[in-house]
């Protein structure tokens, strides 16, 4: 017991690092995917649709193990489990987040796009000053949801030897010959202790956002959310 | 190299597909039942039923599937409940996705217009008849698209059975991998394509069911 809890806390810290690292990657990559998907050139947008679908409908474990074994060979140098973990988790959820961005972008009224054209904005100005500032705030709660989903998905990365909580519990069991009840229950408790309050926080954020901008705005957000393909809840 | 891949490895991988599909079907069955049980319980008149269901759902959703799988397969035997691999995986997957599915059932039922419920009461339907003949048939078409997505998540979740050594596609591939490391990229690509094909098949079935259910209704 004296060794178990510090080991789990170390695992929790690694889990948190992996979650935030992967979330940052997923946010950036998801935005790129979402914008490329809207490209007018069919040769860009159609492959993007299928790429997103492919990433989204195949298991993260398989993708992670694939990258863990193939990436070091490809670039000719060893990579840490945390690096590959962040890359694979980030890539996997970038596909989900691109759908979230898409729904946000599609919710921006047409007049705003026309205004950007009328004002002779460059594509970069159009996206950074007009579209994204209106597209992202309404979907922030959904993005928060995904942060929690990703947090709970990290133990899958024990397959690539990432030293998160479940692996820590396993090592403890292997070295002390203890039975799994206490270690695994504690892991579950730690996950619950982080993810449940976080999900309440996200719900609060959603309610705040709705109240701030009035019910009409809330309805618009709800419409946007119903358009997100494959949305996962927490 | 190509012969080895298509004549040796692909058949070996495909031999795991029936187990993946079986796990998915049993898991889906359990998840569907639990979705309705939890979903309806959370709408119950009785606060105790509602509260219990909500706590259970939050408990399940707040912890990861893989942690639950480890708990059921590696910890439960010490409490005297020893489950073989397939039932352990089915229970973990069914319970986990059932908890997520309960939210789909709950919100679809809440989305049925209030007048329908009032009309059923006016017609002197009892609460079972109300659900069975009025509410659920109208809520069902609304449930299908999110259930389709959840089922794809469930299919992806079956890959976690690898951790308890159940011989599904991923496990079968991993046990063969060491002999064919030079074919690493084609092997994993093939594995991903298998999952992709299964997912598309699932989504296709749901789209077909949606069309069937929507016919004459919307």
């Amino acid at each position: 017991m004296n060794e178990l809890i510090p080991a789990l806390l170390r695992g929790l810290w690694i889990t948190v690092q992996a979650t935030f690292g992967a979330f940052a990657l997923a946010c950036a990559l998801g935005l790129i995917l979402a914008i490329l998907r809207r490209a007018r050139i069919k040769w860009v947008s159609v492959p993007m649709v299928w790429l997103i679908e492919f990433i989204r409908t195949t298991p993260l474990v398989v993708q992670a193990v694939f990258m863990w074994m193939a990436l070091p060979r490809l670039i000719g140098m060893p990579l840490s489990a945390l690096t590959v973990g962040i890359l694979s988790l980030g890539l996997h959820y970038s596909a989900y987040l691109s759908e979230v961005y898409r729904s946000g972008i599609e919710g921006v009224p047409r007049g705003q796009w026309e205004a950007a054209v009328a004002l002779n904005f460059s594509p970069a100005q159009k996206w950074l000053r007009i579209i994204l500032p209106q597209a992202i705030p309404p979907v922030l709660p959904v993005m928060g949801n995904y942060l929690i989903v990703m947090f709970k998905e990290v133990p899958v990365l024990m397959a690539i030897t990432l030293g998160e909580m479940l692996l820590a519990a396993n090592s403890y069991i292997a070295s002390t010959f203890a039975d799994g009840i206490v270690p695994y229950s504690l892991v579950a408790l730690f996950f619950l202790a982080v993810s449940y309050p976080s999900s309440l926080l996200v719900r609060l954020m959603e309610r705040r956002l709705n109240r701030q901008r009035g019910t009409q705005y809330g309805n618009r957000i709800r419409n946007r959310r119903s358009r997100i393909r494959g949305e996962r809840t927490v | 190299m190509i012969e080895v891949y298509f004549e040796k490895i692909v058949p070996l991988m495909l031999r795991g597909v029936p187990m993946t599909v079986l796990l998915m079907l049993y898991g889906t069955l359990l998840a569907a039942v639990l979705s309705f049980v939890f979903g309806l319980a959370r709408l119950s008149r009785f606060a105790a039923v509602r509260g219990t269901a909500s706590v259970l759902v939050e408990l399940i959703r707040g912890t990861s599937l893989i942690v639950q799988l480890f708990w059921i397969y590696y910890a439960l035997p010490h409490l005297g409940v020893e489950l073989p691999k397939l039932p352990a995986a089915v229970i973990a997957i069914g319970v986990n996705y059932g908890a997520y599915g309960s939210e789909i059932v709950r919100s679809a039922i809440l989305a049925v217009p209030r007048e329908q419920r009032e009309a059923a009461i006016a017609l002197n339907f009892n609460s079972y008849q109300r659900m069975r003949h009025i509410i659920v048939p109208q809520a069902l078409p609304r449930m299908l698209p999110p259930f389709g997505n959840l089922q794809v998540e469930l299919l992806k979740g079956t890959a976690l059975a690898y951790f308890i050594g159940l011989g599904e596609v991923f496990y079968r591939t991993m046990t063969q991998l060491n002999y064919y490391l030079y074919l690493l990229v084609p092997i994993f690509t093939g594995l991903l394509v298998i999952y992709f094909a299964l997912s598309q098949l699932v989504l296709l079935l749901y789209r077909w069911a949606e069309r069937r259910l929507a016919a004459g209704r919307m």
Side-chain angles (χ1 to χ4, degrees), chain A residues 36-50:
Chain A
L36 283 181
R37 202 201 147 115
R38 295 184 56 88
R40 251 184 247 127
I41 312 156
K42 275 260 150 50
W43 288 101
V44 178
S45 62
V46 174
M48 278 303 142
V49 173
W50 285 104

Side-chain angles (χ1 to χ4, degrees), chain A residues 20-83:
Chain A
F20 279 99
F23 186 67
L25 178 64
C27 284
L29 204 59
L31 185 59
I32 296 171
L33 286 175
I35 292 176
L36 283 181
R37 202 201 147 115
R38 295 184 56 88
R40 251 184 247 127
I41 312 156
K42 275 260 150 50
W43 288 101
V44 178
S45 62
V46 174
M48 278 303 142
V49 173
W50 285 104
L51 180 68
I52 292 168
E53 185 76 3
F54 190 82
I55 297 172
R56 209 168 57 83
T57 59
T58 53
L60 169 66
V61 195
V62 179
Q63 293 169 3
V65 175
F66 187 14
M67 288 168 83
W68 174 239
M69 298 184 88
L71 273 187
R73 274 158 226 257
L74 206 73
I75 60 171
M77 65 175 202
L79 290 169
S80 74
L82 186 62
T83 311

Side-chain angles (χ1 to χ4, degrees), chain A residues 50 53-63 65-66 69-70 73 92 96 151-153 155-156 158-159 166 170 178-181 184-185 187-189 191-192 195-196 199 203 228-234, chain B residues 58-67 70-71 74-76 78-79 97 100 103 149 152-153 155-157 159-160 162-163 170 174 177-178 181-182 184-186 188-189 191-193 195-196 199-200 203 207:
Chain A
W50 285 104
E53 185 76 3
F54 190 82
I55 297 172
R56 209 168 57 83
T57 59
T58 53
L60 169 66
V61 195
V62 179
Q63 293 169 3
V65 175
F66 187 14
M69 298 184 88
R73 274 158 226 257
H92 191 75
Y96 286 90
F151 172 71
K152 288 186 292 186
E153 205 86 320
V156 161
M158 72 176 273
L166 199 55
N170 276 349
D179 61 55
I181 301 167
Y184 291 137
S185 304
V187 173
L189 195 72
F191 268 104
L192 197 66
S195 70
Y196 184 62
S199 73
R203 267 176 237 175
I228 301 174
R229 255 207 308 178
E231 190 190 345
R232 294 174 63 175
T233 47
V234 281
Chain B
E58 293 293 354
L59 217 68
I60 295 164
R61 294 205 301 187
T63 53
S64 310
L65 169 60
I66 185 173
V67 178
F70 270 65
W71 205 91
Y74 293 116
L76 216 51
H78 296 288
L79 295 173
Y97 289 99
Y100 286 97
E103 188 56 38
N149 288 325
V152 171
E153 294 299 329
L155 169 65
K156 285 159 62 184
L160 297 184
Y162 154 75
F163 288 100
F170 185 38
M174 289 303 278
L177 201 60
N178 279 330
L181 271 181
Y182 61 104
L184 186 70
V185 175
F188 270 100
T189 310
L191 184 59
L192 289 171
V193 167
Y195 277 109
F196 180 68
S199 302
Q200 293 307 313
L203 289 174
R207 253 169 248 149

